[in-house]
């Protein structure tokens, strides 16, 4: 296995693990919200809707990152970096997700793009959890839940 194959495989593993972890963490407030609503009444509807929007953003980005992980796995299955990235570009153009570029981006640029998506996902997850904590605190008026 060459250096770029191991780099692409590691990127696929990291993206997959991150997307599953953040996706499951985003599901927790969606599950716990209605349960806590039965105890004391949850909170203003606007806060609840804002939290749901951020949770859905995290889940959408998790799906996007899983797709990116599959693309990195596809690239790492080829013998050369050029062949692997050409296969990814061909797949994306056949799916009509991206127009073919004149100058294809390298592996490092693609990993950097996925890292930006990971940071956006983490930011949305942090916002979701902060809103959920605020909603829990205001719903109980400082009293313990249930």
């Amino acid at each position: 296995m060459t250096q770029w194959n191991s780099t692409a495989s590691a990127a696929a593993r990291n993206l997959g693990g991150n997307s599953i972890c953040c996706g499951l963490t985003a599901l927790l407030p969606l599950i716990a919200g209605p349960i806590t609503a039965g105890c004391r009444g949850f909170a203003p509807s606007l806060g609840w809707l804002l939290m749901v929007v951020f949770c859905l953003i995290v889940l959408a980005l998790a799906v996007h990152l899983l797709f990116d992980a599959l693309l990195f796995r596809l690239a790492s299955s080829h013998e050369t970096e050029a062949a692997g990235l050409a296969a990814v570009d061909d797949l994306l153009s056949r799916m009509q997700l991206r127009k073919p570029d004149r100058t294809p981006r390298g592996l490092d640029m693609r990993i950097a793009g996925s890292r930006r998506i990971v940071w956006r996902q983490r930011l949305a997850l942090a916002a979701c959890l902060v809103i959920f904590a605020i909603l829990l605190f205001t719903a109980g008026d400082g009293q313990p839940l249930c």
Side-chain angles (χ1 to χ4, degrees):
M1 186 174 253
T2 61
Q3 176 67 28
W4 83 270
N5 285 63
S6 60
T7 302
S9 295
R13 277 191 308 276
N14 291 338
L15 289 175
N18 183 70
S19 66
I20 290 172
C21 180
C22 287
L24 290 176
T25 305
L27 286 176
L28 291 176
L30 291 177
I31 294 169
I35 294 170
T36 58
C39 294
R40 292 223 189 242
F42 192 59
S45 299
L46 182 62
W48 171 252
L49 289 176
L50 189 62
M51 186 195 71
V52 169
V53 166
F54 276 109
C55 286
L56 292 177
I57 289 171
V58 171
L59 293 174
L61 290 174
V63 170
H64 186 192
L65 289 173
L66 283 175
F67 183 69
D68 281 356
L70 290 174
L71 291 177
F72 282 119
R73 287 189 200 277
L74 172 67
S76 69
S77 68
H78 289 77
E79 291 183 23
T80 63
E81 181 178 355
L85 297 179
V88 169
D89 289 336
D90 182 52
L91 177 68
L92 291 174
S93 66
R94 286 181 188 219
M95 294 176 70
Q96 297 179 353
L97 294 175
R98 179 178 293 163
K99 295 179 183 175
D101 294 332
R102 291 184 180 144
T103 58
R105 297 183 309 156
L107 184 64
D108 294 333
M109 293 290 289
R110 294 172 194 242
I111 291 174
S114 295
R115 283 185 184 150
R116 284 191 296 273
I117 295 170
V118 166
W119 282 108
R120 288 177 188 153
Q121 182 188 34
R122 289 178 181 172
L123 182 66
L125 180 63
C128 169
L129 294 176
V130 165
I131 292 170
F132 183 65
I134 290 170
L135 290 176
L136 281 178
F137 184 71
T138 59
D141 293 327
Q143 302 287 327
L145 293 175
C146 297

